[in-house]
Amino acid sequence: MTDSAAAPERPSLEGLEEKWSDAWEASGLYRFERAVSRSDVFSIDTPPPTVSGSLHVGHVFSYTHTDIVARYQRMRGKSVFYPMGWDDNGLPTERRVQNYYGVRCDPSLPYDPAFKPPAPGGKRQQPISRRNFIELCELLTGDDEKQFEHMWRRLGLSVDWSMTYTTIGAAAQRASQTAFLRLAQRGEAYQSEAPTMWDVTFGTAVANAEVVDKEVSGNFYTLAFGDVLIETTRPELLPACVALVAHPDDERYAPLVGTEVETPLFKVKIPVIAHPLAAPDKGTGIAMVCTFGDVTDVQWWRDASLPTRTIVGRDGRVLPLDFATLPTAEPQTAQKLMDELVGKTMHSARELLLERLTEAGALRGEPRPTTRPVKFYEKGDRPLEVVSSRQWFIRTLDHRTELLERGEELRWTPSYMKARYDDWVRGLNADWLISRQRFFGVPFPVWYPVSAEREPDYDSPIFADEATLPIDPSDACPPGYPEEQRGKPNGFVGDKDVMDTWATSSLTPQLVTGWLTDPELFAQTFPMDLRPQAHDIIRTWLFATVVRSHLEHGVLPWKSTALSGWILDPDRKKMSKSQGNVVTPTHLLDDFGADAVRYWAANGRPGTDTAFDTKQMKIGRRLATKLLNATRFVLGFEPGGAVTAPYDCALLTSIAGVVSECTTALDALDYTTALNRAERFFWLFCDDYLELVKARAYAGDASAQATLRQALDVLTRLLAPFLPFVTEEVWSWSHEGSVHRAPWPADLATDGDAELVPAASAAIAAIRKAKSAARLSPRTEVARITVTGPSVAAFRAVADDLRDASHAAELSFAESDEIVATVEE
């Protein structure tokens, strides 16, 4: 009895996504099942996408790769732990809320319980309290998360939606605060007043890993410090100049080292020092040391124990400086000029100082145009400043050797990506700054005593008890203090900062595996098996997660990492929201279907940047359509019996080789090779084998019928991780249960002569070519066809099938170096 009755008369791809998404959810097909042992589990640390707008094709690209691995491991018999999370705290969310509602956070304002969200699109930037602002963040991210989940379900991600988490929820806050407290208790987390990179737009410190260099146009200006000329691109920092620096081997300035010179305009005496980081071939070979122009200034300042004269405020404007306390020859003149500068932007300060330097004859020559790399916060639009601020840090410099060893333990795909991690760790020059002066994030569970003079005692922090977590020190009180003492003399204040988003998302392995809440789950899933992510956040997310796991557990957080590349636009530029060149996936899913979009994504190799290409999506849709039609055709035959014919045995032997290649590739996380190999054989099966044995199958040949069924069954399973919807559909026509819970093909027959398969394909291709050249259709009956080639014995083994498929009354073969067919009508 055939199974064709179960297949639609005219099978179609339309409606399959909704049909099977609903069915999978209703059956709980992808729910994680606790296993007997850790070896029976495959756990994935899925990247929680930042919830700040909409998903784009870059997300579809990389998350499809992860899902392919998850589906494959499930078919290999693993209990797959595959949760999804939302990274919903941090600056991107705050910026989206500000722009969407037209509000800004003002922590000085009281909470308004009757506050109503403004209509979207407001331009007024209405000030609201911190708590009201956080409520808006939670409201908007909640809406975004629903849209994200809908998109992921439509794409066919086989995640366990019952385990969805967020990086701002109570569980995440408890995990983040607990991990922080334990680091602080061990001295691995500490607070320090230090020069830090600061984004004046967002009003927060940023970590080294979040900094990018951008080329900025500007000018070199030559300033005269008496007889010494220096070149600088930032003359506005002249009041903050604390030294001049030259290279120790630069003979031009050797006599000056150890002496003092006067700064122009302000007449402050400063030392001339030597340092190996000074560049003799840059500018005049001697430079200003200012507190602070850049990170090199910080190093010179620290190494030479120079004084601090900070003039750049957290808002990017000039701060006051008291020249009465400085070694200046003209304190009143210097102070008057300084007072004119106070409150100006750095640009306005530069213009004023250039004017005064020109009047004083201390500006020499014409400005020299230049472009130079300037540091920016990766999400910011203005150059970073270096300001002195009190921040929380996690020690990383002390652990560089151990972190490099962790990198050696980790399995990298592709392997060359490990170099990026090693370079980052070796180049560390500061501990990891984890505090941010923002609002929508995990609070530090810390308070500080306040003196009788209302000064917080930052050297005596009061840490929360783990049992009270999660906790917000702006609402809760430390042990022994009533709320009435908040901010009062001899009272307390809560830490106002929040943790950097990487300081919370770096704990996703602990958060999802039940570190603090479910010891059994934690034992079965941690350390995790796989961390998939983009290659551009190796220095942030991957590195930070390794740090946290190493410091808390003494192990890697996962065994393997798979790095995906970027999606490039037609101009070969990376697609990103900041570039404004992203493509959203909704219309692609409408036009081509999820399986076709997944097909395009799966053709992007690990770590390789891939061009956005709808042509490949069309190919993927054609593949899915062919699977529908081929399955309906094959199910029209009886299931068959024993496979005995040489060509049939050869095909099953060949497909066993394909399964082996696909298995090896997927075990190595090389999903592209696996897809390509399975797809090529599928087309050979449809275009050659199916056509060659069709006559036998129609005649009731049990061997042909059995081979058609067995081969299609295997090919459907090989394609299932890539094309989940169409494979589920065709599988349902002849099987109980889901193809995604079916076992991965194994133990296939291998006793056939696999060489018959390419020989048969080559022969039928030559026959088709010859008929085409003779302007005959493939079905035209002809008197005789002769096929010559080096595989005559193989041709003869499949002669009957070739004769039937070529519609020749007689078929003969002859030896030759090239496979050629000739037709006699």
Side-chain angles (χ1 to χ4, degrees):
M1 180 178 178
T2 69
D3 294 306
S4 59
E9 183 66 29
R10 296 180 181 276
S12 169
L13 299 176
E14 307 308 324
L16 294 188
E17 292 155 23
E18 183 177 3
K19 171 185 176 180
W20 288 112
S21 290
D22 291 345
W24 293 335
E25 178 62 23
S27 66
L29 186 68
Y30 304 125
R31 294 287 176 91
F32 173 67
E33 298 171 355
R34 301 200 183 204
V36 175
S37 68
R38 175 65 181 86
S39 61
D40 297 323
V41 173
F42 189 88
S43 58
I44 303 172
D45 183 20
T46 316
T50 301
V51 185
S52 58
S54 60
L55 295 167
H56 57 76
V57 292
H59 295 106
V60 167
F61 180 72
S62 58
Y63 283 76
T64 295
H65 300 164
T66 306
D67 187 62
I68 291 167
V69 175
R71 290 181 178 277
Y72 166 70
Q73 290 293 339
R74 199 176 283 115
M75 296 177 76
R76 289 300 299 272
K78 296 284 189 177
S79 181
V80 175
F81 183 73
Y82 184 21
M84 179 61 70
W86 311 122
D87 196 7
D88 42 15
N89 70 70
L91 285 171
T93 299
E94 290 190 19
R95 180 160 54 181
R96 174 159 159 72
V97 168
Q98 289 169 352
N99 295 335
Y100 187 82
Y101 288 114
V103 298
R104 63 179 176 83
C105 182
D106 184 346
S108 67
L109 294 177
Y111 174 65
D112 179 3
F115 175 75
K116 301 290 185 184
K123 304 293 184 183
R124 196 166 63 86
Q125 290 291 297
Q126 174 187 349
I128 60 176
S129 74
R130 176 174 179 172
R131 187 171 165 189
N132 288 128
F133 183 77
I134 289 174
E135 288 176 349
L136 282 185
C137 291
E138 292 170 342
L139 176 65
L140 191 56
T141 54
D143 290 341
D144 286 344
E145 286 160 12
K146 292 175 184 176
Q147 296 300 317
F148 278 32
E149 180 176 337
H150 174 74
M151 184 64 68
W152 284 150
R153 287 181 181 274
R154 190 172 176 192
L155 186 65
L157 297 194
S158 60
V159 302
D160 182 348
W161 290 106
S162 70
M163 291 185 156
T164 305
Y165 67 93
T166 71
T167 59
I168 196 63
Q173 294 203 29
R174 181 187 173 197
S176 299
Q177 292 181 339
T178 299
F180 166 77
L181 289 176
R182 293 182 183 181
L183 287 173
Q185 289 163 6
R186 298 196 299 268
E188 298 289 0
Y190 66 94
Q191 196 178 47
S192 176
E193 177 85 25
T196 50
M197 285 179 286
W198 189 272
D199 188 289
V200 298
T201 301
F202 292 110
T204 184
V206 299
N208 288 353
E210 300 169 301
V211 175
V212 295
D213 285 336
K214 297 181 182 180
E215 289 294 320
V216 173
S217 298
N219 293 299
F220 273 117
Y221 301 94
T222 303
L223 309 186
F225 286 65
D227 295 330
V228 182
L229 300 181
I230 66 100
E231 284 192 343
T232 180
T233 58
R234 301 202 63 184
E236 65 271 19
L237 294 179
L238 181 59
C241 182
V242 293
L244 297 186
V245 60
H247 195 276
D249 299 332
D250 193 334
E251 296 181 356
R252 294 172 297 174
Y253 301 108
L256 282 176
V257 173
T259 67
E260 292 182 330
V261 296
E262 279 190 350
T263 62
L265 299 182
F266 298 96
K267 306 296 185 183
V268 176
K269 291 184 178 180
I270 57 171
V272 180
I273 63 173
H275 196 282
L277 286 183
D281 58 346
K282 184 177 180 180
T284 60
I286 191 167
M288 291 197 303
V289 181
C290 301
T291 54
F292 298 94
D294 55 27
V295 292
T296 307
D297 277 342
V298 175
Q299 185 161 352
W300 285 332
W301 164 81
R302 184 178 288 123
D303 291 351
S305 299
L306 296 169
T308 303
R309 294 168 193 156
T310 303
I311 68 161
V312 183
R314 296 186 180 190
D315 58 357
R317 294 179 179 272
V318 178
L319 294 174
L321 196 61
D322 184 3
F323 279 86
T325 63
L326 300 181
T328 173
E330 300 177 8
Q332 293 181 340
T333 302
Q335 192 64 57
K336 182 179 178 182
L337 176 55
M338 191 68 217
D339 292 344
E340 290 185 61
L341 293 169
V342 171
K344 290 186 179 295
T345 64
M346 301 314 293
H347 173 79
S348 297
R350 177 189 307 161
E351 296 301 309
L352 177 59
L353 284 174
L354 288 175
E355 179 184 330
R356 299 298 172 82
L357 286 164
T358 301
E359 293 171 355
L363 183 66
R364 304 293 175 84
E366 294 296 321
R368 182 163 58 88
T370 184
T371 58
R372 69 191 194 283
V374 175
K375 297 192 179 302
F376 284 72
Y377 173 45
E378 60 186 358
K379 301 183 186 303
D381 302 318
R382 295 172 64 183
L384 292 173
E385 296 289 355
V386 180
V387 304
S388 184
S389 61
R390 180 171 293 277
Q391 306 288 344
W392 283 103
F393 297 85
I394 292 178
R395 297 190 192 279
T396 52
L397 292 176
D398 293 347
H399 299 287
R400 274 183 293 191
T401 300
E402 301 150 63
L403 294 172
L404 286 170
E405 291 171 354
R406 293 292 179 212
E408 292 289 339
E409 296 174 35
L410 187 61
R411 174 190 172 199
W412 297 80
T413 302
S415 59
Y416 61 80
M417 286 292 178
K418 176 178 174 292
R420 298 193 182 191
Y421 174 86
D422 290 344
D423 289 346
W424 175 254
V425 176
R426 291 192 183 103
L428 290 173
N429 58 14
D431 286 332
W432 177 15
L433 189 158
I434 62 166
S435 48
R436 295 292 180 272
Q437 290 64 55
R438 298 301 301 177
F439 316 109
F440 192 50
V442 177
F444 285 93
V446 182
W447 300 266
Y448 306 98
V450 174
S451 70
E453 291 75 31
R454 297 179 180 267
E455 292 296 325
D457 182 3
Y458 293 110
D459 295 329
S460 304
I462 305 168
F463 294 104
D465 187 280
E466 279 190 25
T468 66
L469 304 180
I471 200 167
D472 186 343
S474 65
D475 293 331
C477 301
Y481 288 88
E483 177 63 32
E484 291 74 23
Q485 287 187 275
R486 186 182 297 273
K488 300 295 177 60
N490 300 312
F492 71 94
V493 292
D495 196 309
K496 296 179 181 179
D497 293 348
V498 297
M499 296 183 194
D500 166 33
T501 186
W502 296 117
T504 56
S505 58
S506 61
L507 292 169
T508 53
Q510 290 84 346
L511 177 60
V512 299
T513 59
W515 169 45
L516 300 175
T517 58
D518 192 334
E520 180 189 58
L521 180 65
F522 186 65
Q524 286 202 0
T525 56
F526 184 91
M528 304 183 82
D529 291 277
L530 178 65
R531 153 63 71 81
Q533 65 164 71
H535 61 67
D536 56 326
I537 52 174
I538 289 174
R539 73 186 193 278
T540 49
W541 194 36
L542 188 146
F543 168 75
T545 312
V546 170
V547 169
R548 303 304 292 275
S549 183
H550 173 75
L551 294 178
E552 184 62 38
H553 309 287
V555 296
L556 277 173
W558 356 260
K559 301 171 186 175
S560 304
T561 184
L563 290 312
S564 59
W566 289 335
I567 297 303
L568 307 178
D569 68 11
D571 295 326
R572 307 296 295 177
K573 294 179 180 178
K574 175 195 174 186
M575 279 193 183
S576 68
K577 292 180 183 178
S578 61
Q579 295 283 345
N581 62 347
V582 298
V583 174
T584 55
T586 303
H587 76 281
L588 300 174
L589 296 171
D590 290 340
D591 294 345
F592 303 104
D595 284 338
V597 174
R598 289 171 63 102
Y599 173 88
W600 160 73
N603 274 283
R605 294 188 178 277
T608 303
D609 295 345
T610 301
F612 174 68
D613 185 5
T614 57
K615 293 179 182 177
Q616 277 201 322
M617 296 178 194
K618 293 177 182 177
I619 296 171
R621 187 171 179 85
R622 177 171 169 256
L623 174 63
T625 301
K626 187 67 174 180
L627 181 59
L628 284 177
N629 295 328
T631 303
R632 175 161 180 79
F633 176 79
V634 169
L635 294 184
F637 299 111
E638 297 291 338
V643 177
T644 57
Y647 187 26
D648 302 338
C649 292
L651 186 94
L652 294 184
T653 296
S654 294
I655 204 169
V658 173
V659 169
S660 178
E661 291 176 30
C662 290
T663 303
T664 298
L666 285 169
D667 282 343
L669 305 177
D670 185 1
Y671 38 79
T672 306
T673 295
L675 172 60
N676 292 346
R677 192 67 188 94
E679 180 190 9
R680 285 202 307 272
F681 200 87
F682 173 77
W683 286 112
L684 180 149
F685 171 77
C686 293
D687 295 343
D688 297 343
Y689 178 79
L690 194 149
E691 292 299 322
L692 283 168
V693 304
K694 187 187 296 183
R696 267 200 295 136
Y698 276 129
D701 182 84
S703 177
Q705 292 177 342
T707 304
L708 285 168
R709 286 290 190 107
Q710 290 181 38
L712 185 64
D713 185 275
V714 170
L715 286 167
T716 301
R717 283 182 282 165
L718 291 182
L719 292 171
F722 307 95
L723 312 176
F725 293 104
V726 71
T727 53
E728 187 76 304
E729 174 69 10
V730 299
W731 188 263
S732 72
W733 297 344
S734 57
H735 294 79
E736 295 294 329
S738 170
V739 68
H740 303 299
R741 288 287 188 175
W744 188 251
D747 301 323
L748 302 173
T750 58
D751 55 352
D753 182 1
E755 294 302 318
L756 298 186
V757 174
S761 295
I764 194 64
I767 291 169
R768 290 166 180 159
K769 182 178 180 182
K771 279 195 164 185
S772 176
R775 298 189 176 181
L776 300 174
S777 78
R779 295 183 178 276
T780 300
E781 299 284 344
V782 296
R784 180 185 180 88
I785 293 178
T786 301
V787 180
T788 65
S791 307
V792 170
F795 295 158
R796 289 191 174 119
V798 296
D800 291 343
D801 290 332
L802 283 172
R803 184 183 301 109
D804 290 338
S806 61
H807 301 277
E810 184 179 345
L811 186 66
S812 62
F813 306 100
E815 292 281 350
S816 73
D817 294 335
E818 185 180 359
I819 299 175
V820 178
T822 55
V823 178
E824 298 176 31
E825 299 184 55

